[in-house]
Amino acid sequence: MKKSIFLIALIASAICASAQVSVEASIDSIEMFVGQQVHVTLTTHAKENAKIEFPVFKPTQYITPGVEVLSCEELEKKALDNGYVDRSMRYTLTSFDDTLYYLPPMVVKIDGKQYKSKSLALKVLTIEVDTVHVDQFFGPKDVQDNPFLWSDWSLSFWLSVLLLVLLSVCYYLYLRLRDNKPIIKTIRVIRRLLPHQKAMKEIEEIKADKMLSTKNTKEYYTKLTDTLRKYIEERYGFNAMEMTSSEIIEKLTSIQDEHGLSELRHLFLTADLVKFAKYSTLINENDANLVNAIEFINQTKQENIPVEETIKPQLTEEDQRSQKARRILKTVISILVSAAILLFLFVLYTLYLLLY
């Protein structure tokens, strides 16, 4: 007896639990025109922790021949008071053939058990078109121009104004740059003669003037000693032009050996006697002193020194400010010209969109 009561209670609870799980299907419209869309909503009533598997369709897959599924969207679940929830899936359908369609039941798995919804119907309607009297309701229309709207053209207009302003500023800055003449100072490279080369050149000129050594010995020795003084000054770096003959010999003695200076000492002594004591020399004595001068130059000359001198220009502060201003003007003009070109291209693009 007890076993029978227990079995009856178990069966009743199972029937009760089964009755509380349900699947319902609804459609928002049973009629639609060709190409329109309708929505089929599939709703399950089950416990909150139940595992529910809705049928899934790919886009453009047919739910039944002639009816396409465009999309599937799960809706927000709705909680109930007795621990159950309603969960829904919405299917968007469309069709392009006018007929009455039978939508078969949809199968939902709840905790591994299959539940079927009810079947639905969808009637697709078409619009009757009179292909014979095409002008019965609406006649042919001529080509019409779009109305002018300032809102469509305002952007292009103001950008064009801005472009003109940029071009005006560029032209003004160009005039300023043109009026501000560039400072051009080149680097000069001077090829200079070495001290012994200049001295030998002057001695050759003295030798060529034979009348000088015979008739005007004072001028002859003045030119010869001045040539040696210039050579000594450039060669040894002391002011020989402002020194006496004895001071020059003394300075040279402190720099180099006594050897080779006796002839030079004799030359300077003879020159002093000729210039200040009206001493008369012989022609061969003049030639010997000239040879001694050449010998001294050849013994003391330096040939391994640079013969070219680079002279770089020196800019004043005003010149430097002028160069800086020109660089700034060139940079600003380049930026403005680039901006003007980009703005011009953008204006052309906006006009193209408006006209075509």
Side-chain angles (χ1 to χ4, degrees):
M1 185 66 180
K2 291 182 179 180
K3 290 182 179 181
S4 300
I5 296 173
F6 177 75
L7 183 59
I8 293 171
L10 184 60
I11 294 173
S13 61
I15 293 174
C16 181
S18 177
Q20 291 177 344
V21 177
S22 62
V23 175
E24 296 180 359
S26 61
I27 188 170
D28 55 1
S29 177
I30 61 173
E31 291 183 352
M32 74 172 190
F33 287 104
V34 171
Q36 287 187 332
Q37 299 175 4
V38 295
H39 296 96
V40 173
T41 304
L42 189 62
T43 304
T44 62
H45 180 79
K47 290 186 177 181
E48 186 174 3
N49 56 355
K51 182 180 179 181
I52 301 175
E53 298 179 20
F54 287 98
V56 178
F57 298 92
K58 297 179 180 179
T60 69
Q61 183 179 350
Y62 289 95
I63 191 173
T64 190
V67 180
E68 297 181 20
V69 179
L70 298 179
S71 63
C72 304
E73 179 186 6
E74 186 172 359
L75 304 179
E76 185 178 357
K77 64 182 180 180
K78 181 179 179 182
L80 303 177
D81 296 337
N82 55 358
Y84 282 74
V85 294
D86 285 344
R87 295 178 60 181
S88 302
M89 180 74 75
R90 184 170 62 187
Y91 302 90
T92 303
L93 309 181
T94 188
S95 179
F96 298 94
D97 294 324
D98 56 332
T99 186
L100 177 64
Y101 291 98
Y102 166 76
L103 303 181
M106 294 185 181
V107 178
V108 181
K109 284 186 178 181
I110 302 177
D111 290 333
K113 187 177 180 181
Q114 293 185 351
Y115 294 86
K116 288 186 178 181
S117 67
K118 64 181 180 179
S119 59
L120 299 173
L122 175 64
K123 184 173 181 58
V124 179
L125 306 176
T126 187
I127 300 174
E128 294 293 335
V129 178
D130 188 354
T131 58
V132 178
H133 305 89
V134 293
D135 298 335
Q136 182 178 0
F137 300 103
F138 302 101
K141 303 295 183 182
D142 196 4
V143 178
Q144 296 182 359
D145 293 331
N146 291 327
F148 176 81
L149 296 177
W150 170 248
S151 59
D152 296 336
W153 293 85
S154 59
L155 178 62
S156 300
F157 173 78
W158 291 116
L159 289 180
S160 301
V161 172
L162 179 59
L163 178 61
L164 293 177
V165 173
L166 285 178
L167 293 176
S168 301
V169 174
C170 288
Y171 182 70
Y172 171 75
L173 294 178
Y174 167 74
L175 295 179
R176 290 289 304 274
L177 184 64
R178 187 186 62 181
D179 295 338
N180 186 10
K181 300 297 183 182
I183 300 170
I184 302 176
K185 291 189 176 182
T186 58
I187 298 176
R188 294 183 299 163
V189 178
I190 299 177
R191 185 176 182 85
R192 57 185 178 86
L193 294 175
L194 295 177
H196 70 277
Q197 293 173 338
K198 290 191 289 185
M200 291 301 297
K201 184 178 179 181
E202 293 180 7
I203 288 176
E204 290 296 329
E205 293 176 357
I206 296 173
K207 283 175 62 178
D209 193 356
K210 295 181 179 179
M211 297 294 294
L212 187 66
S213 62
T214 57
K215 293 185 177 181
N216 194 346
T217 56
K218 182 178 180 180
E219 184 179 355
Y220 172 78
Y221 278 99
T222 299
K223 288 187 175 182
L224 183 59
T225 54
D226 285 346
T227 299
L228 287 173
R229 287 173 185 271
K230 292 177 183 177
Y231 168 73
I232 292 170
E233 183 172 321
E234 293 184 8
R235 168 64 177 82
Y236 293 100
F238 60 87
N239 192 5
M241 295 296 294
E242 303 296 331
M243 299 172 67
T244 62
S245 300
S246 58
E247 289 174 343
I248 293 173
I249 297 300
E250 183 180 354
K251 186 71 175 178
L252 290 175
T253 304
S254 65
I255 294 175
Q256 65 179 35
D257 296 336
E258 178 68 21
H259 178 72
L261 295 179
S262 58
E263 290 82 1
L264 185 64
R265 184 183 291 107
H266 178 72
L267 189 154
F268 275 117
L269 178 59
T270 303
D272 289 341
L273 290 175
V274 171
K275 289 189 290 185
F276 303 112
K278 297 182 180 181
Y279 175 73
S280 297
T281 59
L282 300 175
I283 295 177
N284 59 349
E285 188 177 2
N286 295 338
D287 293 338
N289 286 326
L290 185 67
V291 171
N292 291 334
I294 295 174
E295 186 70 20
F296 173 76
I297 293 172
N298 288 331
Q299 289 178 356
T300 58
K301 66 181 179 180
Q302 287 182 322
E303 294 181 326
N304 56 345
I305 57 177
V307 296
E308 290 186 353
E309 182 181 1
T310 301
I311 301 177
K312 296 183 179 180
Q314 298 293 329
L315 298 180
T316 63
E317 292 185 2
E318 183 178 357
D319 293 338
Q320 293 176 357
R321 287 196 298 269
S322 178
Q323 281 190 342
K324 185 178 180 181
R326 286 183 62 83
R327 286 196 296 268
I328 294 175
L329 281 176
K330 288 180 179 179
T331 303
V332 173
I333 291 174
S334 300
I335 294 173
L336 291 179
V337 169
S338 301
I341 292 174
L342 294 176
L343 189 59
F344 176 71
L345 295 176
F346 183 75
V347 170
L348 289 181
Y349 176 71
T350 56
L351 292 176
Y352 173 79
L353 295 179
L354 288 172
L355 298 176
Y356 296 98

